[in-house]
Structure formats: structure tokens, C-alpha cells
Amino acid sequence: MQAKIFHATGKRVAYNRLLKHMIVTTTIVDRFEKGENLADILNGMLDAGSLNADQVPAILNIILVSRAALPYRSMNLPETVASFSSLSEQFSKWNALDLVAAYYHPTFGIQLVNPARPEHWQRVHELKRDELVVVYARAKNGGNDVARKGLDAFFSVLSGKSVGEDAAFVMVEAPKPAPVAPAAPAAPVSQAPAAPAAPAAPAAPSRASQMTPKYSVQVSNELFHNGNVEAWKNIIEAYHAKYPNCRVIVYHEGELIQDLNSLFKWGKVKHGGVIMFQVAGSDIKGVSRLQRYLYEGASPRFEAFLKKDINKILNLF
């Protein structure tokens, strides 16, 4: 039987998309092999809109696993981690280690982090318990043996343990030559004034995934019952319809809520209980209004959000 591996390329759209992906990947490989961190490269391209999030898993595998054959380690986190200052501080010193951490967010997919960059940790806000983290390591000194030590050090620091200094983690750069004294200035020559520089173009807005902090909503109804659940569903549905690039993520007692119905089935959320939410996406807007509506939906006034026609969405945002 003839292999069907090339059948998808028989259509122009699929062929062009595959060709574009291959060209982009080749460019990324060149930058990576010159020493750039892959998380820096991909996050920059995601910000600029020159890369789609669904391309990231394939690029990670082809460059870090298939081509570079880097050591890596995966772990389902035993505890939630919300503080990353020690990680960014430590790995900014260990300049001979080049690590890429891939956090598999349950709602938002793969989030890439260069552990030495605090701004990358701000993208994820926290690493949730039981979620998957895969870390790849490249060492500029000592090859894969040092890279494996770097993986040990990463997970030790992540768990709050102290790690001893390792000389192989630091690459000392040669001192730069002393600057040459400038020659005596020549007599000034009169010339026409230079034209004023054109103002710099404003930076393009980031298109990469972002996440807000967690916001709390206190239940003021006697119980967060089925009516409150349906009200929240309608509110979140309306938010997603208005902002299709954003997603609302709900937590209760530190646990991710995959199905809002479970809040009612558990019967744990009573008067005075707190439900947390955050918004993930690009160009996030309307969060304060969303919080206000969710508060009303968790109150005895929830019925206002149940009055809608079948197969229609509330016009709230």
C-alpha cells in the first residue's frame, strides 16, 4: 500500500503552510545554534505574531530532541509554585547553562520559560500542582554531563532547596581590552544642522499569551447552587464571545475547575466561600466587569443572568 505521508501536501493551503513552517524552523535553528535560548526566540516570535502557538510543540521536538539531542526531564509538580525570584536570580548567574522550561498549562497549552528571565515567569504566574513541566538543558561547558547537573539544580531550586555552586555552571568571559584614548578633537567645521530624527514607531502590541493574577469572588448566596452555576456559565460564555482570544480559568481551594457543574455537585461552596478566577489570552480586557458580574452570579441575584433565549448569548460586554 502506498504511504499516505505526503497526501496532505496535495492541497495548496496545506502545502504552503508546511513550507512556511519549514522556513521558519530553519531560521530558528540557525539562531539556536549560534547560542540563543530557544524560549527567548519563540516567545519573541509569538509576541511579534510571526509564529503561531500550535507550531511550538513541533519546533521544540525537532530542535531540542531530534536535532540537538539535549538531556531533558519531565515532572508532574508535587506542589504549586508561585515564587520564581530564586530561580531567575540563580540561573542568571549560571551563564554556562541554557535551559528551556515548557509548562503545560491545562487551559492555555505550552508556556515557554527561560529560567533566567523574570519576565518569562510573569507569563505563567504560577506552576500548578500535578501539571506537567518538561525542562531541556544545554551546557556551554562540559557537554551533557553538566547539562544533567543543571537539570538537577533546576528542580532542586524549584522545590526550594539550596544548591551549591558549580564552577561548570559559570562561564568566565575574557576581559575586554582597555579603551584607547581618543585623539584630540579637530577644529569644528561649520555645517548645516542635522534634520531632527524621526520619532520611533510605537512598539507593536504583544500577541503572546498572558495571564492575569487570580481574582476572588465571594459567594453571598446561601449556597452556590445549580442556579449560580448556570449564571456563571452564561457570564463566562458572554465573555468568551466578546473576547474570543481570552479564556476564563476558575479555581476553588487551589484546584483547577474543569467543569463548573462540579462546584454544585461537591456541595462545598457555601455562603462566604471564595471562588478564584483568572483570565488568559492576548489583549485581555473587561476583567473588572467580569468580576462584578461573577460576584452577582454568586449572589441571590443570579436569576438576572438566566434570562436569555435558547441558543443566544447574553450581551454583557
Side-chain angles (χ1 to χ4, degrees), residues 34-202:
K34 290 177 181 178
E36 288 190 58
N37 180 278
L38 189 60
D40 291 345
I41 299 171
L42 297 185
N43 282 339
M45 296 179 73
L46 289 168
D47 287 347
S50 57
L51 188 72
N52 295 325
D54 59 359
Q55 294 177 263
V56 170
I59 292 173
L60 283 179
N61 188 72
I62 194 64
I63 295 179
L64 299 183
V65 179
S66 298
R67 185 178 181 88
L70 296 184
Y72 64 91
R73 188 170 303 164
S74 61
M75 175 184 289
N76 291 90
L77 296 169
E79 298 292 340
T80 296
V81 181
S83 176
F84 307 105
S85 57
S86 58
L87 274 166
S88 57
E89 180 181 352
Q90 195 68 66
F91 279 91
S92 62
K93 297 177 183 177
W94 292 340
N95 59 348
L97 289 176
D98 180 28
L99 268 65
V100 175
Y103 171 54
Y104 288 73
H105 192 278
T107 301
F108 221 62
I110 296 179
Q111 302 291 297
L112 297 179
V113 174
N114 174 355
R117 291 192 175 273
E119 63 270 23
H120 284 192
W121 290 116
Q122 292 174 6
R123 292 172 179 258
V124 300
H125 285 287
E126 65 179 6
L127 306 179
K128 295 293 296 180
R129 186 182 69 184
D130 296 329
E131 302 301 343
L132 176 64
V133 174
V134 183
V135 183
Y136 307 84
R138 174 171 61 168
K140 300 175 183 178
N141 297 325
N144 285 347
D145 289 339
V146 174
R148 293 186 184 94
K149 290 183 180 180
L151 291 173
D152 293 336
F154 175 88
F155 284 103
S156 294
V157 177
L158 186 68
S159 62
K161 300 176 182 177
S162 60
V163 178
E165 295 294 332
D166 192 319
F169 292 172
V170 180
M171 184 172 62
V172 180
E173 298 180 356
K176 296 181 180 180
V180 179
V189 179
S190 60
Q191 57 183 6

Side-chain angles (χ1 to χ4, degrees), residues 194-208:
S206 171
R207 301 184 187 181

Side-chain angles (χ1 to χ4, degrees), residues 235 239 248 277 279 286-294 317:
I235 294 166
Y239 184 84
V248 179
F277 79 93
V279 179
V287 177
S288 59
R289 181 178 293 186
L290 172 64
Q291 185 179 21
R292 186 166 66 250
Y293 287 149
L294 291 177
F317 298 92

